[in-house]
Amino acid sequence: MSSQVFDVSVTTRYIDDQSAPDRGSYVFTYSVTIKNTGQVGAQLIARHWIITDANNHIEEIRGLGVVGRQPLLKPGEEFEYTSGTALATPQGSMQGEFLCVTEKGEQFRVTIPEFVLSLPRTLH
């Protein structure tokens, strides 16, 4: 089964009023849109994120579903959620994958390519 069943896009935002740069805390949100571009229904079962800050400190997050849900998407349907993370540096990145299963019971993984978390004024 191809990972092309789900198309994933991500947008990020720095949350200034929740951050405390003087204490090494930079808070970002990321909004993920998952669209079923395949021919069969499929469900997102689990997630795996790799979060890296500018000091190359790596944090791995694994868990069931996303934001407490395991959305089942019929062909053409999409699901969007927003979550967040805090970094010790003003820049970093995330990448990961979703483990999914089709209505026919076939498992597949969706790779989420690396995306940048950065303060707006530090982006070049």
Side-chain angles (χ1 to χ4, degrees):
M1 175 60 60
S2 161
S3 66
Q4 297 305 309
V5 173
F6 280 174
D7 181 48
V8 177
S9 60
V10 181
T11 59
T12 64
R13 192 162 69 94
Y14 174 65
I15 308 299
D16 187 53
D17 64 346
Q18 293 181 22
S19 297
D22 56 325
R23 293 195 303 273
S25 179
Y26 300 85
V27 177
F28 298 89
T29 61
Y30 52 96
S31 296
V32 180
T33 303
I34 305 157
K35 183 172 184 176
N36 184 338
T37 57
Q39 302 299 312
V40 298
Q43 185 172 22
L44 188 155
I45 302 298
R47 71 190 181 285
H48 175 209
W49 289 112
I50 300 169
I51 305 166
T52 308
D53 71 15
N55 295 327
N56 283 326
H57 171 77
I58 296 173
E59 181 180 2
E60 290 198 51
I61 307 291
R62 295 178 187 270
L64 293 176
V66 290
V67 293
R69 302 199 37 204
Q70 292 179 314
L72 172 61
L73 302 176
K74 302 285 185 200
E77 289 183 338
E78 63 180 49
F79 177 80
E80 182 176 352
Y81 75 94
T82 299
S83 191
T85 190
L87 299 178
T89 60
Q91 288 182 266
S93 66
M94 287 180 64
Q95 61 186 321
E97 68 179 8
F98 295 141
L99 173 63
C100 306
V101 64
T102 70
E103 289 180 327
K104 297 177 181 180
E106 299 167 318
Q107 287 191 5
F108 64 98
R109 294 181 186 278
V110 178
T111 300
I112 299 108
E114 184 176 37
F115 56 92
V116 173
L117 302 168
S118 179
L119 271 66
R121 64 182 177 274
T122 63
L123 196 58
H124 298 283

